[in-house]
Structures are given as C-alpha cells and as structure tokens.
Amino acid sequence: MAIAWDELDLNTFRDETEAVAALLNSAPLSAQARRDVRAEAVDLVAETRKAASRQGVVESFLQEFSLSTPEGLALMCLAEALLRTPDEGARDKLIAEKIGAADWASHLGRSGSLFVNASTWGLMLTGKLVDVDEGARTDMVGYLRRLARRVGEPVIAAAVAQAIRIMGEQFVLGRTIEAAIARAKSEGRICSFDMLGEGARTHADAARYEEAYAEAIKAVGAGASASGPEAGHGVSVKLSALSPRYEATHEAAVFEDLYPRLKRLAVLAAGFNINFTIDAEEADRLALSLKLLDRLAHERDLGAWTGLGLAVQAYQKRGPEVIERLADLSRASGRRLMVRLVKGAYWDSEIKRAQVNGRPDYPVYTTKAATDLSYLVCAKALIAASPGLYAQFATHNAHTLAAVRRLAADAGVTIEYQRLHGMGEALYAAAEARHPGGVVRTYAPVGEHENLLPYLVRRLLENGANSSFVHLLLDESVPPDSVVVDPISVVETVGPGPHPRIPRPADIYGDRRNSAGIDLSAKAERARLTEAVADLPSLGAGGAPVLSPADHNRVVGYAADAKPAAIDAAFAAAKAAQPAWNHAGGRARAEVLRAMADALEANRERLIAICTREAGKTFADGIAEVREAADFCRYYARLAETRFAGPEVLKGPVGETNTLELHGRGVFVCISPWNFPLAIFTGQIAAALAAGNAVLAKPAEQTPLIAAEAVRLYHAAGLDPRLLALTPGPGESVGAALVAHPSCDGVAFTGGTDTAWRINQSLAARKGPIIPFIAETGGLNGMFVDTTALREQVIDDVIVSAFGSAGQRCSALRILFLPNETADGLIEGLIGAMDALTVGDPADPTTDIGPVIDAEAKAALEAHVERLGREAKLLHRLPSPAGGTFFGPVLAEIPSARFLEREVFGPVLHVVRYDVADLEAIASDLAGSGYGLTLGVHSRLEAFAAEVKQRVPAGNVYVNRSIIGAVVGVQPFGGEGLSGTGPKAGGPNALSRYAMERAVSVNITAQGGDPSLLNLTH
C-alpha cells in the first residue's frame, strides 16, 4: 500500500500548544529515567570541562565570539565575503569596514584556545600565530584602527587572506575528499562527508554538484572495508544541489531531472556498500524529499543495500509522524534505512518564512525546550523502529546524549552518535569514558574555503546562540547543574504554549492582523486553486467580452462601459452619502474596512481564479494580490481609528482650547492599473474611504471583472452602495469624464507617467478648487552589484525582480549593473537560471511566468527587442508559448542606462557592465532618467550601499534582497520625480492627501475664565 506522504502537509502548521501537549503525553522517559539521565548529564558536563584541551576550535570560537556580538558577526561577514571577493580594492574596503568598527579589545586574551586567542585574532591582522607588537598590548583599539587604515598595503591584505585560510583549515576537514579521508584516517574517525556548496541555480550547477558527489562516493568507496555502511565513512547529499527547481510545485520535473541524478549516486554508493544520507532542508520540501526516498527505497538496482538514509529534523512538528512513516516505508520496501535525527539548522529562516508568507502557525517549535522534547519523542520512536530503521543521533547536548543512550539501553538497540567536525570532541570523549564502545560519526564539511562560510554560519547560529547548550557548556560561570536542562520539566513548568516573544504569524504586527497566505507546497492547496479556476463561471452580464491573455479564445466574462448619465448619477449619490460617512468617524469606517479584509480572505480562491483568468496572474501572484488587498484594508482601518478619532487637542496658552481635526474631502476618483487589478484597486478605495470620502472607481479596461467582484465585496461588508460606484471603461473617455467632473474632489491614480501628465493637465485646467492629485507611476529601476555580493543570492533576487509577474510591476528590475570582475560569471548564472523557468498557462501551478496583458503590450516589447538586436547585444531569450500574449523573458546587454529613454514594461532585463572607478558616472546616468521608484544594491560593503543610495534617488531602496513585493505597513511604497507624487501607499502618511484639516480655536475666558486654571490649589 502506497504511503500518503502528502498527508504530512496537514500538520505542517499544527497549533503549537496542541503539538507540544501531544509530545508531553507521549512521555518518552519515565520519572526514574529522567532523574538518572539528568544526573549522568551533569557528570558529563563536569568531565567535559576538565578536558578543556580537547575543546574543538569551533567551540572556542563560539565561546569568545558568539554570533550575538558585533565582533562575531563582523568576523563571519568578513570571512565569508573575503573568500568570494575577487578584486583587491573591494577586499581592502571590506577589511577596513568590518575590523575598524568592532570592539576587539573587550575580547583580548579571554579565550583558552591558541587559535581563537592569538591575541584576539591578532592572527587576523598579522597572519602569524604569535603575539602582536607592543603597541597592540597597550592600545589594542587604536592599534586595530590604525591597522584597518593600512589595509591597502599588500602585507596587510595578504595577512588577512592568510588568516582566513587558516580559519578554513580549522573548520573544514579537507579541501578535497582525498585530503579529508586522509585526515580522518590519521585521526581515527569515521565520517559522513558533506560536500560544501549552495543549492543549484542552474542545470549546469546541478551537473557539477552531481559530479562532486560522485567523486566523493568513489573516493570513500575505494577505501571502504567489507564491514558495511555502519562501520565506514559515508556521504551526505543535499537535494537542492541536484536541481535548480527542487520545489513541490515542480514535482514532475523533479522526478524527471533530479531523481535520475539521485538514483545514479545511490547506485554508486550501493556498489561500494557505504552510507548515503539525504540531508534535511526546508519544511516546504519535506513531503517531496520523502517521495524521492520512497521511490529510491523500492529500486531493484540497489539490491539488498542497507546504507540508504536521510536526516529527520526534530524541530519540525511533523517529526514523530515522519519517523512513523519511515518505519512503514522500511517494511513496505524491505529495505533497512539509516536515519540521522537532528534538531534542525534552519530555525530562524523557517520562522521568518512563516511570518512573511502568512502561515497559520510555524512548521517548527518556537521554544528550545519543545524542540528538545520533540527530539526525545522522535528518538524513542526511532529506536523502537529498529531493525527497520538504524538510528543515528546528531547532538552536542549532554542531556540529549544521556537520554538517547538510556532509551537505547532500555530497548537493547545499538545506535550511532554524530557530531559536527570541530565540535563535541570533549563531550563524546567523556561519554566514551563512561560507556566504552559507542559509535561516533563526525559530520565533516569538505570543500574549498569560499564554499565554507554559508554552511558554517548556519551551524554557528544553530549552536552558538546564548541560550544553546553548546554555549552554556563552555561557560565556566554557569554551574553544571544549571547547564543541564530536562526539557520535559521545562515544558511541564511553563506549559506547552509557544515562545511568548514570538507571536503567531497572524499577530506579528500587533495592532492589526497579518494577511493569510496559501501554501503552494501543499498538494491539497494547489488542487483547491486549480479547481477554483476550472469551476469559475462566466462573469458579468452584457457589454463587450473580456478575453483571457493566456488564451484569446477564452471569454472570462462581459463588461459594459459606464455611460455619462451613470457617471453623473454616481457622483450625485456619492455626494449625498459622503457627509454622513465622514461624520461617522474613523472607528465606524474601520469596522467596514476590516469586514472587507475578512471578505477578501473568505473569497480568496475565487478572487485568485479571476486574477488568473482575467489578468494572467500565476497562483503565487494571485495569492499576493489578495493578501495585499486585505493588508491595505486592515492597515488603513487602523489609520482611520488613530488619525480620525476626533479633534486632537493642541498645546497653547491658558484661556483657550485649540484643536485640529481631519475630515474627508468629498468624492474621490480612483483610477487603478491592470497589473495589480485587485490590490491597488482595493487599496486606493480603502484609503479614500478610511479618510471619510466617497469613491468612484475606474479599473483598467483590461481588468473590469475582478474590480466588479471587489466592489461587490465592499458592499457586502456593510458599505453603503452610494459610497462606492464602479465606473469601468477606457481612460480617454470614462477616465477623462471622471477627472473633469465638477463633483470630483480628488484623484488617486496608479499607472503610466504619460497618463499621469494628462490627468495633471486636466486638473490644472479645471475652474474651482485646486484638488489633490495622488499619483504613483513607473520607474526605470536599477540594481547595483559589487564584487562582494553572493552569487546565489544575486541570481535569485535578480530573476524574481526582473521576471516575476512577467516583469509587469512598476517596481520590477529593468537595469542590472554588474562589475567587470564578476559580470561574466553572473551573466552565465542568470542565463542558466532563466532556462530553469517555466513560461506558460498561469492556471498551471508549475508556471513561473504567465502572459503579458494584451497584444499592444506584447507588440511594444517585440519592438524593443528588435532595437536591442540592432543597437545592443541580446544575450538570451526564452521561447514564448503559442495561444495567448506570451513573451519569453529576455536578457540583453546595453552600453549605459542612457540607452533606455523610458520604462520597458515586461520581462526584459538590461545589463550594464561597470568599473568601480566609474561608479559615480554610471549612477549619474541612471539618476538622470528622472525616475525614482525602486533601487537595489547587492554588496557586503555598507559604504558601497550608502554611496549608491546617495547617488541614485529612489522612493524604495532594497539592500541584499529582491526589489519587488513591498509589504503594506512594512515597506511603504511610492516613488519620487517621474515615479510619483507621494504620499507612499501603505505607509503612516498615506491618508494625509485624502483628507483636509480643520483647526478650531475657542476663547474660553469669554465664558468667565479658564476653570482648569482657576481651580488650581497651592
């Protein structure tokens, strides 16, 4: 019977209180066993501290330079960036910036490790394992600062580079697999070798990583004895290294592309009869990884091999369930599996991802005690599943080690322990002295130093936090009895709830609810959206047909243009209803806006389906659309309550009262674009309504159906229909009539710069009051990359910024500035990453890029590409599917930003190479365009980012991340110059121009005096 791996997704975000209560009820240890385990763990800590000479260098580093200190972070940042920085100028600046700013003197001489101490990384500065000079002894701070200023000197730069190499030797078992095997042999260890490297971004990356894994397996296998996978070295693999699209939404492609690579490696490992472990990665890949393992376990080509294994993360709420199903898999396949139980290395990123994506809860436990308790529950289940599962326990925690040993002894099962290279040596020596004969395997990174630091920082963050056992173990000021913590006792004492300082994803903003997302990694969620699209009926009645940009033969619905008489009637109704709405106050208006946010989320599948059919949006874009609309409603509801709560009393002299109060202006015209047909349409209306206005809303002529749905939801949420009228139609007729209407008291517009100019001219020609015009327009958005930037991060962020939403975002990346030293490699990586993209039907969950909006948009892009072919250099282009207005992404190289005279609205990315000496001129070219919407910087140098920000004006600046996806209330969005008027949408000042201010001053002495003054007592 097939194992339903997808059912694991039902408990990904299980309520933490419920999940931890279930762990407690499982009682992994008896009361007596808990007392015995704690006593043994306390003894282990004491014995470990006695063996200080065997303390690993990583542990020494953690003890002195915790990543909670600026110095620890500076060292890691410096080391990682230096290893990847090819040009000397950037290296010198990096050293000066990171070393010159930190408080090294506070760490001087405190570590017992020669390597770590070396007069507190005098090693970093001299390259020698000797004391630094007398000047450093008397004035370390001044010495370091003087030295930092001299980093341009070759001897200093060479010394730092040498120090980094020395550090690499300590943290990596070997730069090659052969060197690592030789070192392991000389030190008498058995290892699981981890070939360092980030996940694949291209198919070429995947092929290169497969080759590296294969060579490692061959090298390990060549020296393997006949004793089997338990007694010899093994190799660990990351599935993300074997495919650029190792994602649940691309499951079919993963089995076509990644699985053959994985099988080839497994067959190779089986031939040598060694341990081959699939490493655990992010929570949203769990079910997919287990499906791959399932097929592999049933492969006849692997024979009776018992070395196949995987890692299971105890910090995931699904840990015990995974163990249970792995036992089922072992029975079904007849294959013994090796299971490495870890606590987990991606905790902080899992927390952030859940918050960003609006999950119902976290996939991991938020407290250390819950994670440690989960580990014990998983350990008991894993031991109980013997012999079908061979248990391997990765831990540096004395209590966990003692507990696992007790569980295994009680069950009479032989187990294996694992520790990281550079850590846990003294702890396991103490354990071996008490219980000889235990098997300890070292998880050992292998590779060049430039690939070391991302791995190392993950491990140090995991083990180096002030609250971690490893950190406390090394702190002599903490008694052993305090170091050892029984997680069962902790949970029993404080209760099974989540960490009090980590709110649920819905509650991260405190004063408003975070919008709810949809997890596309879950098969059931994808199926619901696919069904919603398939079941979507024809929308609207009467008027012209609205065609899908993905399929011009598909009629999504019908829409009729607003007639002049209807526009007049709508203005009259709005004018009549607005005073009462304004008088109702911010609190009453907030209730309607929150009801609208709830309605959006209650109808999200239908809304996403309409966005997919009418606007050509992928599921991911449709989810973001609904979430942003809901966020706008809740954010502006809060502003309505706080800014429109009533008169604000101002300070002044006695004998009078002075107040200031905000009021709505009257009737606003809101004109929204097709590229965010729900989010911006809803957000403009919400802002105007929150400030006390009535609204006539004109959606883009390409997307009237989703707008009609939003208006229907507003009315159903309790809004008087007179306060919001839908007026669809062309801009030149309906839009012009709305803007010119004498009852229009303000205009909010998002769209092209040319259209904004025309609206501005129309408003200027009006007789009567000067009314506000709030405009958000396009941008010629650039991203500057320097040589310190991380390749994988640049590729990820550039691809999503330039080609996400088919490049049809005003914030999208248009020009990428690459340094000459690294441009070729980055361009190669970008081309490879483009080839891994899927262009196609937006209703298909595997699609990354849907169509552009219409034939006019496509024709403009084709014309631009023709010009690129004539006057610039086309580097790469993806094919475009037939049927709709699809346009495959394009990568081109242009001589400078001046080549582009205006925004190119679509998936076309332009590369400009530059020399760092010419940065001022290059930046001036971009600034000279007059646009100022979004700007990106990728660099480890804060000074570089600061210089770019100074030279290129932009409303939204993003450093070391993508430049799209601004979140309401978190990244208020809006440009300057040709890119908009402000205030920023989704920001604290967003409602200011939708409102007018009225000040009231009352002379209370005219009533006989000021009571508050007269009633004062001595």
Side-chain angles (χ1 to χ4, degrees):
M1 181 177 174
I3 299 173
W5 298 110
D6 287 309
E7 289 182 2
L8 285 169
D9 292 331
L10 297 175
N11 290 317
T12 304
F13 306 108
R14 187 181 182 187
D15 177 79
E16 183 157 356
T17 301
E18 175 188 301
V20 178
L23 294 176
L24 267 182
N25 289 337
S26 67
L29 291 167
S30 68
Q32 182 59 49
R34 286 167 59 184
R35 288 191 291 272
D36 294 345
V37 164
R38 176 174 171 76
E40 179 168 340
V42 170
D43 290 344
L44 281 174
V45 170
E47 291 162 18
T48 298
R49 287 178 174 176
K50 292 176 186 176
S53 62
R54 298 196 64 174
Q55 184 171 292
V57 68
V58 181
E59 293 164 316
S60 301
F61 179 92
L62 285 172
Q63 186 177 19
E64 188 50 49
F65 293 106
S66 162
L67 291 194
S68 63
T69 67
E71 293 73 37
L73 287 171
L75 288 173
M76 286 297 94
C77 178
L78 174 63
E80 178 177 8
L82 281 177
L83 291 169
R84 297 170 177 271
T85 304
D87 67 295
E88 293 182 5
R91 283 201 298 265
D92 294 346
K93 291 177 183 175
L94 197 62
I95 296 167
E97 186 172 280
K98 300 302 176 190
I99 290 184
D103 182 17
W104 304 107
S106 65
H107 298 271
L108 180 59
R110 294 203 320 198
S111 175
S113 164
L114 174 66
F115 168 71
V116 173
N117 190 29
S119 288
T120 300
W121 290 69
L123 165 66
M124 287 282 294
L125 306 169
T126 66
K128 301 175 185 176
L129 284 168
V130 295
D131 286 344
V132 292
D133 66 22
E134 189 61 32
R137 295 175 185 276
T138 57
D139 181 16
M140 175 61 94
V141 176
Y143 173 78
L144 286 168
R145 286 177 178 159
R146 288 193 300 276
L147 208 51
R149 288 195 293 269
R150 293 174 50 210
V151 294
E153 298 179 18
V155 64
I156 302 299
V160 173
Q162 174 66 14
I164 297 300
R165 282 194 292 273
I166 293 172
M167 186 180 74
E169 299 293 345
Q170 301 294 325
F171 291 142
V172 179
L173 192 64
R175 298 179 73 166
T176 66
I177 186 65
E178 291 80 9
I181 292 171
R183 183 173 172 186
K185 182 178 180 180
S186 69
E187 296 177 3
R189 307 188 199 177
I190 59 170
C191 297
S192 182
F193 296 110
D194 173 29
M195 309 307 292
L196 290 173
E198 294 295 281
R201 297 308 189 270
T202 70
H203 293 294
D205 288 345
R208 187 173 69 254
Y209 285 131
E210 181 191 358
E211 183 179 359
Y213 284 135
E215 292 304 313
I217 291 169
K218 291 174 186 175
V220 170
S225 66
S227 54
E230 299 87 351
H233 297 312
V235 174
S236 296
V237 300
K238 291 184 182 65
L239 296 181
S240 59
L242 298 177
S243 170
R245 300 311 303 269
Y246 173 45
E247 303 161 34
T249 51
H250 288 72
E251 181 175 322
V254 164
F255 274 95
E256 291 174 9
D257 173 48
L258 188 157
Y259 183 75
R261 296 186 188 280
L262 181 64
K263 181 183 174 183
R264 286 193 291 269
L265 294 172
V267 169
L268 194 59
F272 291 111
N273 197 26
I274 64 172
N275 179 206
F276 177 78
T277 301
I278 298 171
D279 268 330
E281 299 187 64
E282 294 83 357
D284 58 6
R285 291 167 160 166
L286 177 62
L288 180 57
S289 69
L290 293 168
K291 291 178 187 178
L292 290 163
L293 178 76
D294 189 321
R295 181 179 294 187
L296 205 55
H298 286 89
E299 288 286 355
R300 293 183 178 179
D301 292 350
L302 300 181
W305 177 50
T306 58
L308 178 61
L310 82 159
V312 174
Q313 298 160 323
Y315 69 7
Q316 281 205 49
K317 295 171 182 174
R318 297 172 289 178
E321 191 177 357
V322 171
I323 301 289
E324 179 184 339
R325 294 184 185 225
L326 288 174
D328 293 341
L329 174 59
S330 175
R331 286 188 289 270
S333 64
R335 187 179 304 283
R336 197 281 305 271
L337 299 172
M338 303 179 81
V339 180
R340 175 198 297 148
L341 186 64
V342 300
K343 290 183 181 174
Y346 302 89
W347 181 82
D348 55 328
S349 62
E350 294 287 8
I351 296 292
K352 179 177 180 178
R353 283 156 60 92
Q355 292 180 350
V356 169
N357 294 322
R359 301 297 183 233
D361 209 306
Y362 297 103
V364 296
Y365 296 106
T366 58
T367 69
K368 184 179 184 302
T371 298
D372 289 346
L373 171 57
S374 175
Y375 194 97
L376 298 184
V377 172
C378 290
K380 186 173 184 178
L382 182 53
I383 290 168
S386 177
L389 302 183
Y390 175 77
Q392 301 169 300
F393 296 103
T395 183
H396 305 106
N397 184 308
H399 184 275
T400 305
L401 191 159
V404 166
R405 192 206 64 77
R406 175 61 178 263
L407 288 168
D410 287 350
V413 171
T414 299
I415 62 172
E416 174 185 300
Y417 298 100
Q418 295 194 3
R419 66 176 183 87
L420 291 170
H421 168 58
M423 295 183 67
E425 196 169 344
L427 174 64
Y428 278 99
E432 172 67 14
R434 294 175 68 89
H435 303 285
V439 178
V440 181
R441 187 184 299 269
T442 301
Y443 186 85
V446 178
E448 295 297 327
H449 298 152
E450 58 265 26
N451 294 321
L452 164 67
L453 269 298
Y455 156 86
L456 183 63
V457 169
R458 280 199 298 271
R459 295 298 178 259
L460 292 180
L461 282 170
E462 178 187 3
N463 293 289
N466 286 339
S467 62
S468 81
F469 174 85
V470 172
H471 190 87
L472 296 174
L473 173 66
L474 304 170
D475 189 346
E476 294 278 1
S477 67
V478 182
D481 194 61
S482 299
V483 173
V484 174
V485 176
D486 174 7
I488 302 174
S489 296
V490 173
V491 174
E492 287 175 340
T493 301
V494 303
H499 196 291
R501 294 176 60 187
I502 303 178
R504 290 173 64 250
D507 302 324
I508 59 173
Y509 299 127
D511 59 358
R512 63 184 170 95
R513 197 162 86 238
N514 187 16
S515 57
I518 294 176
D519 182 12
L520 289 177
S521 72
K523 185 176 181 179
E525 298 285 3
R526 298 196 300 273
R528 264 195 289 276
L529 290 179
T530 302
E531 184 180 352
V533 174
D535 293 346
L536 188 69
S538 178
L539 304 171
V546 178
L547 304 180
S548 171
D551 180 0
H552 294 166
N553 294 318
R554 182 186 297 276
V555 176
V556 185
Y558 299 86
D561 297 345
K563 300 294 188 289
I567 291 173
D568 289 338
F571 267 114
K575 208 78 173 174
Q578 187 270 336
W581 176 246
N582 180 61
H583 182 71
R587 187 176 299 277
R589 298 195 292 270
E591 289 180 7
V592 173
L593 292 178
R594 289 198 181 96
M596 174 59 177
D598 294 343
L600 288 164
E601 292 184 336
N603 291 272
R604 63 184 178 180
E605 282 82 8
R606 175 179 168 84
L607 294 170
I608 292 167
I610 298 173
C611 285
T612 296
R613 287 294 191 218
E614 183 182 31
K617 286 193 171 280
T618 62
F619 285 165
D621 285 339
I623 293 166
E625 191 87 16
V626 177
R627 291 192 66 203
E628 186 174 0
D631 282 337
F632 271 132
C633 290
R634 294 191 179 112
Y635 184 77
Y636 291 147
R638 184 62 183 149
L639 287 185
E641 286 179 331
T642 55
R643 305 292 174 88
F644 295 81
E648 176 187 358
V649 178
L650 307 177
K651 292 181 179 180
V654 298
E656 63 185 50
T657 61
N658 298 284
T659 60
L660 182 68
E661 189 171 13
L662 296 177
H663 293 268
R665 289 181 172 273
V667 182
F668 250 80
V669 169
C670 293
I671 302 174
S672 58
W674 49 260
N675 61 329
F676 286 93
L678 178 64
I680 293 179
F681 179 83
T682 303
Q684 287 178 339
I685 294 169
L689 291 174
N693 301 290
V695 178
L696 268 65
K698 193 201 89 64
E701 52 203 273
Q702 296 93 333
T703 53
L705 302 176
I706 187 68
E709 194 74 6
V711 169
R712 182 184 70 79
L713 291 177
Y714 262 119
H715 293 164
L719 184 68
D720 183 341
R722 297 176 300 166
L723 292 168
L724 174 59
L726 181 67
T727 54
E732 56 269 21
S733 56
V734 174
L738 292 169
V739 169
H741 201 282
S743 293
C744 172
D745 297 307
V747 177
F749 168 78
T750 302
T753 305
D754 291 344
T755 305
W757 281 331
R758 287 195 294 272
I759 293 173
N760 198 35
Q761 290 165 355
S762 174
L763 294 176
R766 283 170 43 123
K767 299 295 183 184
I770 298 171
I771 66 174
F773 176 41
I774 305 165
E776 181 192 310
T777 54
L780 204 54
N781 309 310
M783 178 186 287
F784 288 78
V785 177
D786 78 355
T787 56
T788 69
L790 183 62
R791 170 188 179 267
E792 291 80 8
Q793 189 176 7
V794 170
I795 291 172
D796 290 347
D797 292 341
V798 167
I799 291 292
V800 71
S801 297
F803 304 133
S805 306
Q808 298 174 121
R809 291 174 178 251
C810 53
S811 57
L813 177 61
R814 308 300 180 198
I815 309 176
L816 176 64
F817 297 90
L818 296 179
N820 287 321
E821 294 89 343
T822 57
D824 286 342
L826 286 170
I827 288 170
E828 180 184 10
L830 289 170
I831 290 173
M834 288 173 68
D835 286 336
L837 295 172
T838 301
V839 183
D841 181 4
D844 184 338
T846 66
T847 294
D848 301 300
I849 299 171
V852 295
I853 191 63
D854 57 23
E856 181 181 352
K858 182 177 181 179
L861 291 169
E862 293 288 4
H864 179 68
V865 170
E866 288 181 17
R867 181 191 172 213
L868 289 172
R870 294 191 311 270
E871 304 174 28
K873 182 180 181 182
L874 283 172
L875 300 173
H876 197 55
R877 183 176 185 180
L878 296 187
S880 304
T885 48
F886 291 98
F887 184 87
V890 171
L891 183 67
E893 187 172 333
I894 58 175
S896 76
R898 294 194 303 272
F899 181 89
L900 297 179
E901 300 161 357
R902 59 194 303 114
E903 181 181 26
V904 178
F905 209 71
V908 181
L909 177 61
H910 309 85
V911 172
V912 174
R913 297 175 189 252
Y914 76 95
D915 189 290
V916 68
D918 301 326
L919 179 61
E920 181 177 353
I922 294 293
S924 295
D925 286 345
L926 181 60
S929 69
Y931 291 97
L933 191 52
T934 60
L935 171 69
V937 182
H938 264 273
S939 172
R940 302 305 173 92
L941 273 171
E942 293 177 18
F944 179 83
E947 182 177 1
V948 172
K949 285 187 288 184
Q950 179 184 354
R951 298 193 182 284
V952 184
N956 287 70
V957 181
Y958 301 95
V959 179
N960 294 330
R961 53 151 288 171
S962 73
I963 68 169
I964 63 171
V967 177
V968 173
V970 180
Q971 295 115 8
F973 188 78
E976 52 193 73
L978 293 177
S979 296
T981 63
K984 287 179 176 293
N989 304 314
L991 303 187
S992 59
R993 296 195 71 207
Y994 289 94
M996 55 186 172
E997 302 169 302
R998 290 176 181 161
V1000 177
S1001 184
V1002 178
N1003 177 15
I1004 58 176
T1005 58
Q1007 305 167 10
D1010 185 340
S1012 64
L1013 187 63
L1014 295 174
N1015 290 332
L1016 287 176
T1017 60
H1018 293 291

